[in-house]
Amino acid sequence: MKHAFLNVAGVAVLAAGMAFAQNAPAQNSPHAGRHGAQAGSMIDRLSARLNLTDAQKQQAQSIFAEARKSAQPVRAQIRQDKQALAAAVKSGSQADIDRISNNMGPLLAQASAIRAKAFAQFYATLTPDQKSKVDQRSSQRASGRNWQWHRRNSSPAAPPSGS
């Protein structure tokens, strides 16, 4: 049961990463070029890791574009709440911090559900071999193996809190 939960959690984390990597900002955004490049590279990375067919790439782009579209108002509200929370922190208003944080909870859950549902749709398009690769990657992320690999193969850094 615990292993199944970790797999589901790993898949949700992957979905979150994919959905956010797909966010395409408006053309006049200061980050338009950077985010647009990340969105394309996410599909490219998935394609390279999973050997996606052209049809699967098109489906993935469609699935994640629809998820972005449905999450747009939620993301906008989260952005506003984060700004309000930052202002509440600066003002020291404990009541505002609690109120805004409580308002953000359902929005964050909704955004997470949108990402997970999009990834579930994408996952359904994969072959058994591709699903196995995704599952293996999810297990590695859940067990923290990616952090260990990163730590060994990069400049020294502080471990994440709790390690």
Side-chain angles (χ1 to χ4, degrees), residues 77 81 96-108:
Q77 185 60 51
D81 285 352
D96 284 346
I97 291 172
D98 288 339
R99 179 184 52 77
I100 296 165
S101 296
N102 287 331
N103 289 344
M104 287 179 69
L107 294 169
L108 294 170

Side-chain angles (χ1 to χ4, degrees), residues 118-134:
F119 189 75
Q121 287 179 322
F122 169 71
Y123 189 82
T125 69
L126 301 177
T127 66
D129 184 52
Q130 290 168 329
K131 288 178 181 180
S132 175
K133 289 177 183 178
V134 170

Side-chain angles (χ1 to χ4, degrees), residues 36-48:
Q38 286 177 351
S41 67
M42 191 273 301
I43 294 290
D44 293 342
R45 283 191 310 271
L46 282 173
S47 180

